[in-house]
Amino acid sequence: MESSLRPMTLGEILDRTAQLYRSRFFIFLGISVIPTGVIVVLACLVGLVVAWWSAAGAGSVPEAEGYILLAVFAIGVALVALPILLAASALASAAMSHAVSLVYLGQTTTIREAYKSVWHKGWRYIWLLFLEGLFIAAVPLAVWTVLVILTAVLAALGAKAGMGNMAGGALFTLVAVLVVIALFVYVFWMLIRLSLAFPACVVEQIGAWSAVKRSWNLCNGTKGRIFLLYLLAGLLSWLLSMGITLPLTIILSLLPSMNNPQHAQAATIVILFISYGASFAVQALVRPVYGIALVIFYYDQRIRKEGFDIEWMMQQAGLTPPVQQIAAASNFQPSQAVEYP
């Protein structure tokens, strides 16, 4: 793969993504299955506890105390599950970037080697994913909360000033719609801006904050293409989910026993399990598409902005000694840039 390093169009990047995915399907799928498996295990444990509580414990506790116990259980699950999911997702993203980088440059790897290579610096990748979550999700949530409070206060002041409840409600609705649109735009924009952070962090072996800044700079000039990637991958995810869920649901509805009212509840539960199972399967299948394409985007931007293809060919020919990617990035001067149209 390394012999064909050159600037690529979006179509060529998608084609290369498909080639890499097909050539190392089980490796990439195996890397992405681990965080999905963690989600499935945690969901099953929570489902078993809820089922046991509904069958055995709910009737022996007063309703008020039951709600309190439910709230405590939800908080406990969040405190335990979120750190586990954060760690599993961060390590999987780092392992995916490592594996894709090796395969893209003509080398080989395995699932075990990919995870082993990122394990000793796992806290760096966990911190990077946490930073991404802060920028992408926490900031919009905080802004939304503040604006809702301000809107409520303004609506109350308007009502006191004689604007009436209808005017206050209309004001709140208008502001809410505008804020939701703005937050959606912000989330997508920030998601694109930080999309190359994991490849930069893994390949160049830099810190989490440096990887965020590196991604911010590398994304200049390719944000539209990355947005189209997310759009196409989201469409693929929806089509796969529908392709799995709809046939199974139709087959289930055609079974004679499912038309019996006595089995209506069981049929609903089965359809629910099918939907959740399909979503987990689709997540495991589509996750490598993002991981592979973003690493290719990372190298494509380095080729366009820093002449990485020339540097790589010189190293392969023995004209320059191999250097760490971090050194190449930190010592790069703007005057050395090789800009491609």
Side-chain angles (χ1 to χ4, degrees):
M1 291 293 177
E2 75 278 10
S3 60
S4 59
L5 288 179
R6 58 181 177 80
M8 292 185 288
T9 64
L10 176 61
E12 290 173 329
I13 289 176
L14 295 177
D15 183 63
R16 181 65 62 86
T17 299
Q19 290 178 10
L20 291 181
Y21 198 1
R22 287 198 304 267
S23 65
R24 302 292 190 278
F25 176 78
F26 290 106
I27 293 176
F28 296 137
L29 181 63
I31 293 174
S32 69
V33 158
I34 291 178
T36 305
V38 171
I39 295 175
V40 172
V41 170
L42 292 174
C44 289
L45 291 176
V46 172
L48 289 175
V49 172
V50 172
W52 170 81
W53 176 257
S54 300
S60 60
V61 177
E63 184 176 356
E65 295 182 6
Y67 285 121
I68 295 175
L69 290 175
L70 181 61
V72 172
F73 175 72
I75 295 173
V77 169
L79 292 176
V80 174
L82 287 180
I84 295 175
L85 292 176
L86 179 68
S89 299
L91 291 175
S93 297
M96 184 68 70
S97 296
H98 176 80
V100 174
S101 178
L102 289 179
V103 175
Y104 182 72
L105 296 177
Q107 303 177 49
T108 59
T109 188
T110 63
I111 300 173
R112 182 176 179 274
E113 290 174 353
Y115 273 100
K116 184 179 179 181
S117 66
V118 301
W119 178 261
H120 63 289
K121 294 184 178 178
W123 286 111
R124 172 189 293 175
Y125 305 124
I126 293 172
W127 175 236
L128 175 57
L129 186 61
F130 181 76
L131 284 177
E132 291 184 350
L134 283 180
F135 286 119
I136 296 172
V139 171
L141 182 61
V143 171
W144 169 255
T145 303
V146 171
L147 289 178
V148 166
I149 294 173
L150 289 177
T151 304
V153 171
L154 291 175
L157 293 176
K160 287 184 178 181
M163 295 176 62
N165 293 332
M166 183 176 298
L171 175 64
F172 176 81
T173 302
L174 176 61
V175 172
V177 170
L178 294 177
V179 169
V180 168
I181 294 174
L183 290 181
F184 267 110
V185 172
Y186 169 84
V187 167
F188 278 107
W189 179 73
M190 189 60 69
L191 182 66
I192 293 170
R193 276 294 194 175
L194 301 181
S195 60
L196 304 183
F198 263 97
C201 188
V202 173
V203 175
E204 301 177 19
Q205 288 298 292
I206 55 179
W209 183 247
S210 298
V212 169
K213 294 188 290 185
R214 182 81 165 127
S215 175
W216 194 277
N217 293 327
L218 283 176
C219 282
N220 289 330
T222 193
K223 295 187 288 293
R225 297 193 302 165
I226 295 178
F227 173 75
L228 288 176
L229 166 68
Y230 280 115
L231 196 64
L232 292 173
L235 179 61
L236 174 64
S237 177
W238 180 79
L239 290 175
L240 286 175
S241 181
M242 291 297 101
I244 295 174
T245 304
L246 283 179
L248 292 177
T249 305
I250 292 173
I251 293 173
L252 187 63
S253 63
L254 293 177
L255 295 177
S257 57
M258 291 303 174
N259 295 324
N260 191 331
Q262 297 178 352
H263 298 105
Q265 185 177 2
T268 302
I269 294 174
V270 171
I271 292 175
L272 213 69
F273 272 106
I274 290 174
S275 300
Y276 280 117
S279 66
F280 289 133
V282 168
Q283 183 181 0
L285 287 170
V286 175
R287 184 190 292 263
V289 175
Y290 293 101
I292 297 170
L294 291 176
V295 171
I296 298 177
F297 267 114
Y298 162 78
Y299 279 113
D300 185 69
Q301 286 301 99
R302 288 196 62 184
I303 291 169
R304 291 174 180 272
K305 293 177 175 293
E306 304 171 359
F308 177 79
D309 52 339
I310 299 174
E311 175 189 334
W312 179 257
M313 286 189 294
M314 292 178 65
Q315 290 183 19
Q316 294 299 99
L319 299 178
T320 58
V323 294
Q324 292 183 347
Q325 301 292 346
I326 181 174
S330 60
N331 295 331
F332 176 74
Q333 301 295 328
S335 59
Q336 300 170 338
V338 179
E339 291 290 345
Y340 292 89

